[in-house]
Amino acid sequence: MIHLFGKKDEITEEGLAEYQQKRDWAGLARAYYHLGVAAMEEGNLNRAQLWLSRADTIYSADDSVYKKVGKKIIDDCSQRIGQLEDEALLYNEVPARIEEMAENISEVKARVWGLLSLARLVKLGERLAVLPGCEALGKLGRAVDTVLKSLQSPPSEEEFNGLQELCGALYELGDSPAFWGMGSEFAVPGKAPFQVFDFNGLMGVHLEIDAYLDNHMKMVCALGQGQDTPEPETGIILGALLPDYYVRTGTDVLEEAPGIKAELARIQSDYEFVCSDITWEAIEQRVKAYKELDVLA
């Protein structure tokens, strides 16, 4: 049982809905924080990571919520998240491994590696796009096509502007209650529903998409001006891993979750693919197949 500021109310995962319905964002952030503290004290560090990161996302998105939550909770939450960063968790170890692997391939191959993961988010984005405020996620397919084309030749002004608009919408989504406050979700056959807030894991899938596309546009501009291109963004490579979903729905050992295993295998397969003597035709075929893949199946 978790007591909130001396009250006898029990904070449970099911009880989060009451805060969402009342749009009590400060209360919701505190509830996530207390769930995270309880999980940490029980030694369930994956769930601690899940809940504390959700609390951090909410109070960081809104200044008024930040003030209401208070310095004491925020400071402790940040300290606990910092402690979790030193633990041997998939949340920490897989991103470090991906960064190391990306250093061993060319810039173009690293960008293709990221594009393949982005393509696997297209179907999921389409399903999320029907939820309030999430319409931008339905445009990932067009973004994938634009990136693939502009890795080979300069994009049109319309295509470039489309990426720019999508980046802006994804950034705004991260600050919106539609992402972190309303508890919006869709049904997954045979499994627990998927929440839009499940995108929060790692650095935030929506933010990694934004960072990848923004970096791609900077590359296009640099090439057009004869300048050095920026280092590729590799966070998107883990975009379809979705650890928050599996932790939230009951997986204690992430490495044993079938969905995690399947995605890690795809990431490794993609790496071996880009390390081979690939052609644009082969890349296009792989992208096309991934755009039809349901990563939650």
Side-chain angles (χ1 to χ4, degrees):
M1 181 179 294
I2 308 166
H3 296 300
L4 185 59
F5 298 120
K7 296 180 181 179
K8 295 183 179 179
D9 300 329
E10 184 177 359
I11 305 302
T12 64
E13 295 175 34
E14 293 75 15
L16 297 171
E18 184 175 348
Y19 292 104
Q20 292 164 345
Q21 291 167 1
K22 292 181 178 179
R23 296 180 176 250
D24 180 359
W25 308 138
L28 184 61
R30 293 190 200 103
Y32 279 133
Y33 162 76
H34 283 286
L35 286 171
V37 170
M40 200 166 183
E41 292 176 350
E42 293 167 0
N44 193 329
L45 301 186
N46 281 324
R47 293 187 78 76
Q49 177 73 38
L50 169 72
W51 301 128
L52 293 173
S53 293
R54 288 195 172 196
D56 178 79
T57 294
I58 294 173
Y59 63 64
S60 297
D62 189 303
D63 288 342
S64 64
V65 174
Y66 189 95
K67 293 177 181 177
K68 290 178 182 178
V69 171
K71 181 176 175 58
K72 183 177 180 180
I73 284 181
I74 290 172
D75 287 349
D76 186 65
C77 187
S78 297
Q79 184 178 10
R80 289 177 181 274
I81 290 173
Q83 292 172 357
L84 290 171
E85 290 175 352
D86 295 328
E87 298 290 341
L89 302 176
L90 179 144
Y91 281 98
N92 302 325
E93 295 182 340
V94 175
R97 187 159 70 244
I98 293 300
E99 287 184 15
E100 184 177 346
M101 293 168 69
E103 291 175 355
N104 298 321
I105 57 179
S106 69
E107 179 181 308
V108 173
K109 290 192 172 188
R111 294 183 186 281
V112 171
W113 193 16
L115 178 62
L116 294 172
S117 289
L118 179 58
R120 288 198 294 279
L121 290 169
V122 169
K123 280 296 179 185
L124 179 57
E126 290 173 353
R127 296 173 76 180
L128 287 167
V130 302
L131 301 178
C134 298
E135 296 81 4
L137 294 171
K139 300 178 181 179
L140 298 184
R142 184 179 300 177
V144 166
D145 293 341
T146 298
V147 171
L148 177 58
K149 176 185 174 182
S150 55
L151 281 171
Q152 303 169 69
S153 60
S156 67
E157 183 177 354
E158 181 181 0
E159 290 168 334
F160 188 91
N161 290 340
L163 291 182
Q164 201 167 40
E165 291 172 5
L166 177 56
C167 282
L170 290 171
Y171 187 83
E172 291 177 3
L173 175 62
D175 286 337
S176 170
F179 175 68
W180 45 257
M182 295 165 58
S184 297
E185 61 185 27
F186 65 78
V188 179
K191 298 181 180 179
F194 185 91
Q195 297 179 353
V196 63
F197 208 3
D198 290 329
F199 258 24
N200 197 56
L202 300 172
M203 295 300 291
V205 180
H206 57 300
L207 295 178
E208 293 294 4
I209 297 171
D210 177 22
Y212 178 81
L213 296 179
D214 182 70
N215 182 274
H216 180 78
M217 290 187 290
K218 289 177 180 176
M219 180 208 71
V220 169
C221 291
L223 289 175
Q225 298 171 7
Q227 299 175 349
D228 292 336
T229 56
E231 290 292 321
E233 288 285 343
T234 59
I236 188 58
I237 294 168
L238 296 172
L241 197 59
L242 308 173
D244 275 20
Y245 172 69
Y246 296 102
V247 173
R248 182 182 61 79
T249 57
T251 300
D252 291 328
V253 183
L254 274 174
E255 293 80 358
E256 295 180 2
I260 293 287
K261 286 184 177 180
E263 181 58 18
L264 287 175
R266 286 188 285 261
I267 291 171
Q268 179 63 37
S269 175
D270 287 346
Y271 181 73
E272 294 170 1
F273 172 73
V274 299
C275 285
S276 67
D277 188 18
I278 53 175
T279 63
W280 287 114
E281 181 180 3
I283 294 169
E284 289 171 4
Q285 291 175 349
R286 203 171 181 98
V287 165
K288 182 179 179 180
Y290 279 152
K291 286 172 63 179
E292 297 301 319
L293 178 69
D294 180 0
V295 293
L296 297 178

